Amino acid sequence: MTPANSSTVFVIDDDDLVRASIQGLLKSVGLRSETFGATQEFLRSKRPDVPSCLVLDVRLPGVNGLDFQRDLADAGIRIPIIFITGHGDIPMSVRAMKSGAVEFLTKPFRDQDLLDAIHQALDRDRAAREDQSKLAGLQERYKSLTARECEVMDLVVRGMLNKQIAFDLGTSEVTVKIQRGHVMRKMQAESLAELVRMAAKLDLPPGRRG
């Protein structure tokens, strides 16, 4: 069970009874929630920076839930979505899932099915946030490298030996060895293989020179 203060479930549905029912269900299992009757209310709200997911009705006044899913993605708002609808069909569910929805539930649905989908969505968002945090840390470490250290790292991860790097950069092998040590220390890499993985995660362009 996810502690109430460590995640939030957002619910957008224009039916007051549906919102109240879902909120009561979530409260009964210790999940914090915020409900909205329209998408604009959700967009205007100040959302906590915690793992979260969105339970979204497909048919809403003025906007289609599937279109809102696309609008969120275009705006860079990445939140796992669980669709609920009383008028679903296969093409609609396929479109939702292809666009990254966690689940597509047709009303009336079992409480447990909704809870299972919510826990899956929260786990997905939590993992994405952890990955983003790790990447941000990696990017900060890379920024701490000097221009020459960036050059050395680029050549090291391409598999070049110290003497080859020294020739390529027009410097001494001893200097390259020192700079390579600086790179390993600043990047907190325990091995060449780990440094290569870091470079892949940073998605550095080939031949980058600082």
Side-chain angles (χ1 to χ4, degrees), residues 68-111:
F68 186 61
Q69 178 187 34
R70 184 192 61 229
D71 292 343
L72 289 176
D74 291 344
I77 301 175
R78 293 175 174 80
I79 181 171
I81 296 175
I82 299 154
F83 280 104
I84 57 175
T85 181
H87 310 280
D89 55 37
I90 293 176
M92 192 182 292
S93 64
V94 169
R95 176 183 167 188
M97 300 302 282
K98 280 188 174 181
S99 297
V102 175
E103 186 59 273
F104 192 97
L105 299 174
T106 302
K107 303 172 184 175
F109 45 77
R110 294 172 57 246
D111 287 351

Side-chain angles (χ1 to χ4, degrees), residues 153-173:
M153 176 174 168
D154 172 57
L155 298 175
V156 165
V157 299
R158 284 200 264 164
M160 293 178 66
L161 301 174
N162 287 351
K163 62 181 179 181
Q164 295 172 315
I165 296 173
F167 179 80
D168 191 78
L169 297 180
T171 187
S172 72
E173 189 174 344

